[in-house]
Amino acid sequence: MFAAERRQLILEMVRANGAVSLRELARVVQTSEVTVRRDVRALEAEGLLDRRHGGAVLPGGFTRESGFPQKSHLATAEKTAIADLAAGFVAEGEAIVVGAGTTTQELARRLARVPGLTVVTNSLLVAQALAHANRVEVVMTGGTLRGSNYALVGSGAEQSLQGLRVSKAFLSGSGLTAERGLSTSNMLSASVDRALVQAAAEVVVLADHTKLGTDTMFQTVPTDLITRLVTDEPLAHDDRAGTELQALADQGVQIAVAGASGGGSGPKGPGGGPTAADPVTGGRQRRDVPLPGPRRQAPGAGTGMRTTALNEQNPGAERARVADLRRR
């Protein structure tokens, strides 16, 4: 494929989806990420798109929201890895809320195996994924159906969440920055997500690397309310993503990176399975960026998972881990 053909295809993908990762672009145009990065720079110089951490977005600073069909085909491997990892933070018998999104839908499919779980959601896709889970109780909010993402929104959804209290909220969004936190492109969705946050003791954000550093119109979760971020491994040459993750960690966000160990097996429990203290799912191992300060609830509380503060036990090793993440 000639360079002009590649760049036209890249431009069409960004226009259709709003935001596309370099990995996905390289796969579609069947070339290396280095070549795609060069093409994206050329298109940015012409004002046709904007570069973001590990991807490209529509020009203008704020990305528009893609519909479900487009989102479901973006960063599918990354979403699977994130969902595998995030499921390890849910314990038997917990009550949680799960917001709308393609990543949270992937998470829901894995939660079907958690006995005694109660899931409150405004997402038809999340409810559908759990519909046949005999040991999981699903509670849906009221509200008006928003067809583009199969979510219930509006005053009915928000009112049904009043007085609710659960252990964790699992949310996704359109963008995540250390400055503004999690954001989305739709006002109604943002309002319901804020109500979900108010119902939870801890907030877990699921965001793949393409959303890091992307800012969209409506803030849903400010950074100081995010307990944990579950994301995928940043691209090798994406220094800005590492910087963004460090900035989030500096503000007290616990960061778990799917695939951070390069597919290592991790500690094993009885029978060769993963231990509860350091879960390994889908051949991926959890790595946590240390939590510098106190959160609304201690990370890992109620899950049997162990986290270490930056200034505890082995500060030199912890600083090395943070530096390694920045290099990645």
Side-chain angles (χ1 to χ4, degrees):
M1 187 180 296
F2 294 110
E5 294 176 302
R6 281 199 318 270
R7 292 171 186 178
Q8 182 61 35
L9 182 55
I10 289 170
L11 190 57
E12 289 174 359
M13 289 182 63
V14 173
R15 285 173 175 170
N17 298 302
V20 187
S21 70
L22 291 179
R23 291 175 184 170
E24 187 70 11
L25 291 172
R27 184 186 67 80
V28 172
V29 301
Q30 297 182 340
T31 188
S32 68
E33 290 182 19
V34 173
T35 300
V36 167
R37 188 178 292 108
R38 187 163 54 244
D39 290 338
V40 168
R41 286 197 186 103
L43 291 168
E44 182 183 45
E46 296 179 36
L48 299 174
L49 51 73
D50 289 341
R51 284 187 297 158
R52 286 294 183 268
H53 304 325
V57 302
L58 290 174
F62 294 99
T63 60
R64 69 172 177 84
E65 185 179 38
S66 304
F68 173 76
Q70 292 81 22
K71 288 181 179 179
S72 62
H73 292 96
L74 290 175
T76 53
E78 290 86 346
K79 291 173 183 176
T80 297
I82 290 168
D84 285 341
L85 186 54
F89 295 108
V90 181
E92 295 183 11
E94 274 195 288
I96 64 174
V97 294
V98 179
T102 52
T103 310
T104 52
Q105 180 188 22
E106 287 295 324
L107 171 64
R109 290 173 177 145
R110 287 145 183 83
L111 296 181
R113 300 188 292 268
V114 182
L117 189 65
T118 300
V119 177
V120 180
T121 185
N122 69 318
S123 169
L124 298 186
L125 298 175
V126 168
Q128 182 183 44
L130 294 168
H132 300 292
N134 294 329
R135 297 178 294 177
V136 178
E137 181 179 0
V138 180
V139 179
M140 294 207 68
T141 68
T144 303
L145 178 62
R146 183 167 178 260
S148 62
N149 65 345
Y150 300 93
L152 297 171
V153 297
S155 60
E158 295 170 40
Q159 290 172 9
S160 66
L161 293 166
Q162 292 180 2
L164 180 70
R165 193 61 173 170
V166 297
S167 60
K168 297 182 183 73
F170 290 86
L171 298 174
S172 187
S174 302
L176 177 65
T177 65
E179 181 180 0
R180 289 186 73 218
L182 189 67
S183 61
T184 187
S185 302
N186 181 265
M187 181 173 63
L188 294 175
S189 295
S191 187
V192 175
D193 282 353
R194 286 193 287 267
L196 292 172
V197 168
Q198 291 301 315
E202 298 181 46
V203 178
V204 182
V205 171
L206 312 182
D208 64 74
H209 70 277
T210 66
K211 297 175 182 177
L212 294 175
T214 298
D215 201 3
T216 53
M217 291 183 67
F218 300 99
Q219 183 191 58
T220 56
V221 190
T223 305
D224 61 353
L225 293 184
I226 300 174
T227 307
R228 189 187 307 272
L229 165 65
V230 185
T231 187
D232 61 300
E233 189 76 7
L235 297 172
H237 303 289
D238 192 359
D239 295 333
R240 294 175 63 189
T243 301
E244 195 74 45
L245 289 176
Q246 179 61 60
L248 288 163
D250 289 343
Q251 294 193 45
V253 178
Q254 189 78 11
I255 298 173
V257 181
S261 66
S265 59
K268 299 297 181 181
T275 63
D278 197 12
V280 181
T281 53
R284 298 174 175 86
Q285 186 176 5
R286 190 187 87 234
R287 179 180 67 187
D288 284 338
V289 172
L291 178 65
R295 303 300 298 161
R296 295 167 65 183
Q297 183 169 327
T303 66
M305 296 178 186
R306 179 169 52 86
T307 56
T308 305
L310 182 62
N311 58 354
E312 294 177 357
Q313 296 184 15
N314 192 342
E318 295 300 327
R319 284 193 292 270
R321 288 168 60 191
V322 173
D324 175 66
L325 180 61
R326 296 188 67 178
R327 286 195 298 271
R328 291 174 178 271

